[in-house]
Amino acid sequence: MSSVNLQNISKSFGAVQVIGGLNLSVDDGSFCALLGPSGCGKSTLLRMIAGLEEVSGGTVHIGSRDITFEEPAKRKVAMVFQNYALYPHLTVRQNVAFSLSLAGASKAEQAEKSDRVGKMLQLEALMDRRPAQLSGGQRQRVAIGRALVRDPEVFLFDEPLSNLDALLRVQMRLELAKLHNDLKTTMIYVTHDQVEAMTLADKIVVLDKGAISQVGSPWELYNTPSNRFVAGFIGSPAMNFLPAQASGGAGGLTLTIGTSTLTLPARAAGDVVGTQSIDFGIRPEDITLTSPGAGHIDGRSTVVEYLGNTTYAYIDTAYGTITVETGSAQNLAPGQNVGLEFDPAKGHVFDASGKAWAKAG
């Protein structure tokens, strides 16, 4: 078993606590992404699993083994860093087999395993080249191969694609997804890029200021965010937020935005006492452009981004700039007055503390 369990993990640097009392379970064979903005503690958490950072409190288990105080080399984990960290004077084959050489493996075993990994990562034609002769994507595959050759129980990835250009990132995402499907090994992947997390992981852990904000599948985080932070962090473009007044009733939850009202069939409508101030969240694809005066609010388009298959329009309103995703065929020019109509069934409601208070539906 190669499940990973973190129990009441904390980490402090002097008087500054960066992670406090965190609990997390990663199932055997799953692909788990640690997602969050810079400084949220995701890389520190990964390094504690790897043994590169000491744990200030709590325990780390891989399967039934308590590895909290084990040396990194004994943890049966392999880590791929943001920086390739390849030895420039060694060939690809020698870089891949380097850990085996340190472990005293025979030349035949080193050759067999490095060739197997090279074939898996499509590096066969590059095995006798040195890192300076490789592209960025090829170097990253070599770094992954160096981890693969050790046959670890858990793979740890620390933003491995952040140094690649956009096209190479897409290609490497596909390769990592195929690799996980082939190996079925537990993988924990740190990233600040929600696209990487959403496309690769079956479980995403959203971190905010050293604490877990929400854990769930990509679908759960996108459709049922538990708080305003997750709702705003997941999704590109980000969710729109508008101030509103909420009041409950037999028909559901009535929201007042300016002079307009809309009714959400919210599950928590019965909990509303009187009228309360909330934030109404709506994703760009759940807003329809209409004629001025025909929607819930009006605005003026400022920037229109045509992306071929879709168009993003940024609309200045009395409630700030609202992002709208429209069809590619819709003709909209900057400076045009429009109305915005919200889909009530797709709305989200957040209370003053940022907690998801009532999800429509």
Side-chain angles (χ1 to χ4, degrees), residues 84 86 123 131-144:
Y84 317 126
L86 302 178
L123 294 170
Q133 300 171 293
L134 306 178
S135 68
Q138 291 168 340
R139 293 179 193 179
Q140 193 58 270
R141 288 207 301 271
V142 175
I144 293 171

Side-chain angles (χ1 to χ4, degrees), residues 154-217:
V154 179
F155 283 102
L156 306 176
F157 296 90
D158 190 5
E159 302 198 52
L161 309 185
S162 60
N163 289 332
L164 304 180
D165 62 38
L167 180 59
L168 276 177
R169 283 201 300 271
V170 173
Q171 294 174 345
M172 287 302 301
R173 284 206 312 265
L174 292 174
E175 292 187 21
L176 284 174
K178 291 176 182 177
L179 185 65
H180 181 254
N181 288 336
D182 291 341
L183 298 177
K184 307 298 183 186
T185 305
T186 305
M187 295 184 177
I188 302 178
Y189 187 101
V190 160
T191 182
H192 65 272
D193 185 336
Q194 54 156 306
V195 174
E196 288 181 12
M198 297 282 281
T199 54
L200 285 171
D202 48 61
K203 178 178 184 176
I204 300 176
V205 181
V206 182
L207 294 169
D208 181 27
K209 298 176 182 176
I212 294 177
S213 195
Q214 187 174 355
V215 178
S217 68

